[in-house]
Amino acid sequence: MLRSLLALALTATVTSADVLPGQPAPPLEIEHWLTIRDLPRSGRHEPLTNLDAGGVTVVDFWATWCAPCVASFEKVSDMQATYADRGVRFIGVTEEPLPLVHRFMHNRLGNGKTHFERIRFDIAVDPDGSTVNALIPESMRGIRPIAAVVDGSGTIAWVGDPRVGMTEAIDQILAGTWDAEAFASTLDERTRIEAERNRIMDEEDWAAAKQSFWSDQGFLTRIAFGIAFNYGGQIENTDPAIARAFASRGIELDPTDAYAHHTLARVEFNDGNTKKAAERQRKAIELNAADASRDRYAEYYTRTLEEYEASLESGS
């Protein structure tokens, strides 16, 4: 069964005593702030305790094992630079041990850079988990990535997956049009839905996915991708018919989604239809190039196409 560290199963719902948007954020009690040398002014700040200093603070919880978290370092850095003049500060917080995080940040990547050299926002290490407990509802604390946005008055305004809806929330907070209480009123239902998604992934209940999420383009494509590529061999029920059906449905729901085309290309390749796979992968690359926000996937998509083309040339 899939035991994904990237989406731990949620078993509780938000209660009246839980942390919710609309409530004041308590002072931060972060244990370690990592100094990133040579940061531009927009990304370097003094350690922060109180969250009511008049500016917006984004506390983004990440982990070294969370691939989407690590992949987003450049995007968060760009957001810090973009929003710096509007008084927004981004802080990346992990609860992992300081020595582990320190080694991770100094590891050299394939391009010769370290994670320290990639990052242009503040990084904090908080092994006792006090920060996540103070800002994130209990039922969401195991999810990575997860983030909280605190407004200038020190009120928790937004919580959730930073890849989905966070920038829109920040813009509304800055404009003074954000309704934190209305957002909080919908949080319980969204948490319940996320819990069911995580159960389905954990138990590989693909029938339930089709029954309950047949119009959820992103979730269906995520399942199809997991089955088709199955990195690490985490998925046991790798039914190719499910992968094809879900990837095809993803394209039906959004024909412009490069990720869905990339996934269906892999399904074709796994089925031995290498020519179709290469054609589909070229389509994915074309669609990806049209979306500047997904530029970081360009190299990966191109490498995948090269794999298919090499297979065609070898006749395998």
Side-chain angles (χ1 to χ4, degrees):
M1 295 294 179
L2 178 62
R3 300 288 177 183
S4 175
L5 289 173
L6 306 184
L8 299 180
L10 307 177
T11 58
T13 57
V14 176
T15 67
S16 58
D18 205 351
V19 176
L20 283 174
Q23 296 179 352
L28 294 184
E29 297 181 356
I30 289 175
E31 293 187 46
H32 309 286
W33 292 84
L34 299 189
T35 300
I36 302 178
R37 296 183 177 86
D38 302 323
L39 275 183
R41 189 178 185 86
S42 62
R44 184 176 62 248
H45 303 87
E46 294 299 321
L48 182 67
T49 300
N50 294 318
L51 294 173
D52 58 356
V56 173
T57 306
V58 179
V59 185
D60 188 354
F61 296 94
W62 66 282
T64 59
W65 47 258
C66 172
C69 303
V70 176
S72 71
F73 283 164
E74 281 95 349
K75 182 176 182 180
V76 178
S77 297
D78 291 343
M79 291 175 68
Q80 175 64 88
T82 298
Y83 283 101
D85 291 341
R86 301 175 71 184
V88 181
R89 176 177 179 178
F90 289 78
I91 303 171
V93 179
T94 178
E95 294 82 52
E96 297 169 290
L98 179 61
L100 183 153
V101 177
H102 194 269
R103 288 194 301 271
F104 174 81
M105 298 298 287
H106 284 87
N107 284 342
R108 294 211 170 271
L109 308 175
N111 59 9
K113 289 185 176 182
T114 66
H115 290 299
F116 262 129
E117 293 170 320
R118 297 176 62 208
I119 293 173
R120 293 295 179 268
F121 58 95
D122 292 309
I123 293 292
V125 180
D126 194 41
D128 69 359
S130 60
T131 306
V132 73
N133 292 342
L135 298 177
I136 302 296
E138 181 179 3
S139 58
M140 305 173 76
R141 289 173 192 163
I143 301 171
R144 294 295 179 275
I146 196 76
V149 181
V150 180
D151 66 20
S153 68
T155 298
I156 301 171
W158 181 93
V159 295
D161 185 331
R163 298 166 295 178
V164 183
M166 186 177 76
T167 55
E168 293 82 357
I170 293 172
D171 289 337
Q172 291 182 43
I173 292 166
L174 292 170
T177 60
W178 181 253
D179 189 337
E181 291 184 1
F183 175 78
S185 69
T186 67
L187 188 60
D188 188 64
E189 175 62 14
R190 288 184 289 109
T191 301
R192 184 196 64 76
I193 292 172
E194 186 63 24
E196 176 61 7
R197 289 195 188 103
N198 287 330
R199 183 199 67 77
I200 286 171
M201 293 301 294
D202 189 55
E203 299 178 9
E204 301 180 8
D205 189 352
W206 310 146
K210 184 173 183 179
Q211 180 178 356
S212 301
F213 294 97
W214 194 237
S215 294
D216 189 331
Q217 195 269 353
F219 186 50
L220 293 176
T221 305
R222 171 186 165 193
I223 293 172
F225 176 89
I227 294 173
F229 286 87
N230 199 17
Y231 290 123
Q234 292 180 307
I235 296 179
E236 294 180 1
N237 182 10
T238 55
D239 185 341
I242 293 292
R244 179 177 293 278
F246 283 17
S248 298
R249 177 62 173 167
I251 293 172
E252 179 184 341
L253 291 169
D254 183 1
T256 67
D257 183 22
Y259 179 53
H261 285 275
H262 168 69
T263 299
L264 185 55
R266 193 65 174 196
V267 174
E268 297 287 6
F269 181 74
N270 292 344
D271 283 347
N273 300 319
T274 308
K275 184 177 180 180
K276 285 186 177 180
E279 292 172 353
R280 178 72 64 179
Q281 190 66 20
R282 293 188 191 99
K283 180 68 173 179
I285 292 171
E286 176 186 338
L287 291 169
N288 188 74
D291 185 351
S293 68
R294 295 181 60 85
D295 182 64
R296 63 186 182 277
Y297 296 107
E299 183 180 352
Y300 167 52
Y301 284 1
T302 299
R303 287 200 312 269
T304 307
L305 175 60
E306 290 171 352
E307 176 188 355
Y308 300 159
E309 290 178 334
S311 179
L312 280 173
E313 290 176 2
S314 67
S316 59

